[in-house]
Amino acid sequence: MSDLKKEWPLWEVFIRGQHGMSHRHVGSLHAADEEMAILNARDVYTRRNEGVSIWVVEAKNITASSPDQKGPLYEPSNSKVYRHPTFFDIPVDVGAM
Amino acid sequence: MIPDQKDDALFQYLLRLGDNTLVLGHRVSEWCGVAPALEEDIALANTALDLIGQTQMWLGFAAEVEGKDRNADELAFRRDVWDFRNLLLVEQTNGDFGKTIMRQFLFDAFNVLNLRALSKSSDKRIAEIAAKSVKEVEYHLERSRETVIALGDGTEESNKRMQAALDRLWPFAGEMFVIDDVDTAMFDSGIGPDLAVLRKDWDAIAIPVFNAAMLTKPDSDFAHQGGKSGNRHTEHLGHMLATMQFLPRAYPNARW
């Protein structure tokens, strides 16, 4: 029994709150496989009617950016305000965008 | 059948439905805080709450049919063992997690089929309660079925435990399909299903799961009886009620 892993793998859970919205990361949980991960996500994260769709992905399959790289990755865009579409006058007739 | 007898059969029938969900709901709630994983703890608590919710509907209707000015709480907390009409299966102790899940699967498969049939009952109120409950119970079955397969077809240890659970609980499965006067009266009036048909459908759900779970169905079809008739419960129910009923009996009408 020495090859038995004590813990189930970790899964990240994404839930779509309503049709037309995108899935949002809501948290993580442990489960033995993907089917049980979906069922566990249903019980842990949709008890209060939060969702219409669940995605689960095993945490080890997510590639994340490294915090060490935040300088090169993000700081260059700090000083480039012209990338924001805030320099246009929007006609009143257009209404809320 | 004269009206009084018919009402009594209906009352007994509703007690069976409500006592099954009450007793199993309480049993499952005993895992709250001590389940083997956080996720299972929450899932089992959800299942228990679903079952207790269904109990309120069944016993609430039972109390109205009885017409003796009792309510669902009084039926749940002020009756003693011999007045309970639940299946022997659901009062069996939790044992290890495998036994709990096996008990759940055996009952869920029955409960889904029973509720599907009852959602077409000639009694409108029963049909409504069943239609509302069946969605919850379909999920219970999906979960318990997957877990039975995962554990049965898991490690040597988990397979051994699931087989032990099946062997232990199998003699309690048959009572679900035993047909007595109450069942016959309900079937004749279009209220309840034909349990012989239900048995075939139950086998069609259960046996493929046992196979997928690498479990051997016991040969014997011996079935313990006495739960749904109330004639003879196992010794476990009294202990469970002592815990479940302590508070409302020690502090009648306590509120929070």
Side-chain angles (χ1 to χ4, degrees), chain B residues 73-143:
Chain B
D73 281 343
E74 282 160 26
L75 288 177
F77 295 114
R78 305 262 171 92
R79 280 179 303 150
D80 211 333
V81 177
W82 44 82
D83 290 325
F84 271 73
R85 296 290 179 268
N86 58 280
L87 297 161
L88 298 177
L89 174 69
V90 296
E91 71 196 39
Q92 297 311 300
T93 52
N94 286 342
D96 61 10
F97 183 72
K99 186 179 165 198
T100 291
I101 290 298
M102 181 59 76
R103 183 188 62 199
Q104 193 69 34
F105 170 68
L106 299 176
F107 181 74
D108 286 345
F110 166 78
N111 205 14
V112 160
L113 295 168
N114 201 33
L115 291 173
R116 277 186 200 152
L118 288 177
S119 65
K120 298 181 201 104
S121 173
S122 65
D123 185 298
K124 195 161 156 276
R125 181 84 170 271
I126 288 181
E128 285 169 1
I129 296 172
K132 187 169 191 294
S133 305
V134 76
K135 294 189 194 98
E136 296 171 341
V137 175
E138 300 259 11
Y139 177 74
H140 300 171
L141 176 60
E142 187 183 349
R143 193 173 178 95

Side-chain angles (χ1 to χ4, degrees), chain A residues 19-96:
Chain A
H19 290 292
M21 305 291 280
S22 53
H23 285 72
R24 284 186 51 198
H25 184 237
V26 294
S28 55
L29 50 74
H30 291 91
D33 58 28
E34 59 266 38
E35 280 91 15
M36 283 314 292
I38 291 273
L39 298 185
N40 285 348
R42 181 265 194 195
D43 277 309
V44 176
Y45 291 111
T46 69
R47 300 186 65 215
R48 296 173 187 87
N49 205 22
E50 290 94 337
V52 296
S53 170
I54 300 172
W55 287 349
V56 291
V57 58
E58 203 174 337
K60 72 175 185 192
N61 292 327
I62 292 181
T63 308
S65 62
S66 162
D68 299 344
Q69 280 195 293
K70 71 175 186 221
L73 280 179
Y74 310 119
E75 272 175 30
S77 65
N78 276 351
S79 55
K80 298 179 175 63
V81 290
Y82 49 84
R83 289 182 179 174
H84 293 275
T86 51
F87 297 94
F88 303 96
D89 293 324
I90 297 173
V92 179
D93 294 348
V94 172

Side-chain angles (χ1 to χ4, degrees), chain B:
Chain B
M1 201 180 279
I2 60 172
D4 273 359
Q5 277 176 338
K6 182 164 176 292
D7 276 358
D8 189 53
L10 180 59
F11 176 60
Q12 293 297 322
Y13 192 66
L14 291 166
L15 285 183
R16 292 175 181 189
L17 291 164
D19 287 348
N20 279 341
T21 52
L22 173 62
V23 172
L24 186 60
H26 186 83
R27 274 290 184 229
V28 175
S29 81
E30 292 170 358
W31 277 104
C32 191
V34 295
L38 173 72
E39 291 79 1
E40 289 299 337
D41 203 292
I42 294 173
L44 286 169
N46 281 347
T47 300
L49 285 169
D50 287 346
L51 292 169
I52 300 300
Q54 292 166 20
T55 304
Q56 286 178 326
M57 296 189 282
W58 291 129
L59 291 188
F61 187 28
E64 288 175 37
V65 169
E66 186 193 34
K68 288 188 181 163
D69 213 24
R70 295 202 280 185
N71 60 29
D73 281 343
E74 282 160 26
L75 288 177
F77 295 114
R78 305 262 171 92
R79 280 179 303 150
D80 211 333
V81 177
W82 44 82
D83 290 325
F84 271 73
R85 296 290 179 268
N86 58 280
L87 297 161
L88 298 177
L89 174 69
V90 296
E91 71 196 39
Q92 297 311 300
T93 52
N94 286 342
D96 61 10
F97 183 72
K99 186 179 165 198
T100 291
I101 290 298
M102 181 59 76
R103 183 188 62 199
Q104 193 69 34
F105 170 68
L106 299 176
F107 181 74
D108 286 345
F110 166 78
N111 205 14
V112 160
L113 295 168
N114 201 33
L115 291 173
R116 277 186 200 152
L118 288 177
S119 65
K120 298 181 201 104
S121 173
S122 65
D123 185 298
K124 195 161 156 276
R125 181 84 170 271
I126 288 181
E128 285 169 1
I129 296 172
K132 187 169 191 294
S133 305
V134 76
K135 294 189 194 98
E136 296 171 341
V137 175
E138 300 259 11
Y139 177 74
H140 300 171
L141 176 60
E142 187 183 349
R143 193 173 178 95
S144 60
R145 175 204 278 136
E146 292 300 315
T147 311
V148 165
I149 294 172
L151 290 174
D153 188 20
T155 64
E156 203 178 315
E157 172 74 10
S158 69
N159 175 270
K160 199 178 77 188
R161 288 186 184 224
M162 293 312 283
Q163 185 65 54
L166 179 57
D167 293 346
R168 185 92 180 85
L169 293 170
W170 186 253
F172 296 103
E175 192 192 10
M176 297 190 281
F177 308 102
V178 171
I179 298 170
D180 65 8
D181 289 349
V182 172
D183 297 306
T184 304
M186 292 299 105
F187 177 69
D188 288 346
S189 51
I191 293 175
D194 180 350
L195 289 174
V197 173
L198 229 62
R199 171 86 215 209
K200 288 199 188 76
D201 295 342
W202 186 85
D203 283 342
I205 293 175
I207 290 169
V209 170
F210 298 150
N211 291 338
M214 316 295 275
L215 299 173
T216 309
K217 181 178 86 68
D219 277 338
S220 167
D221 272 334
F222 170 75
H224 290 294
Q225 294 180 44
K228 70 185 201 177
S229 66
N231 287 340
R232 188 170 56 249
H233 282 280
T234 60
E235 69 272 29
H236 308 300
L237 183 62
H239 293 286
M240 197 202 91
L241 294 183
T243 306
M244 188 183 88
Q245 297 180 335
F246 165 77
L247 195 139
R249 284 183 183 272
Y251 304 94
N253 306 316
R255 306 192 70 83
W256 67 3

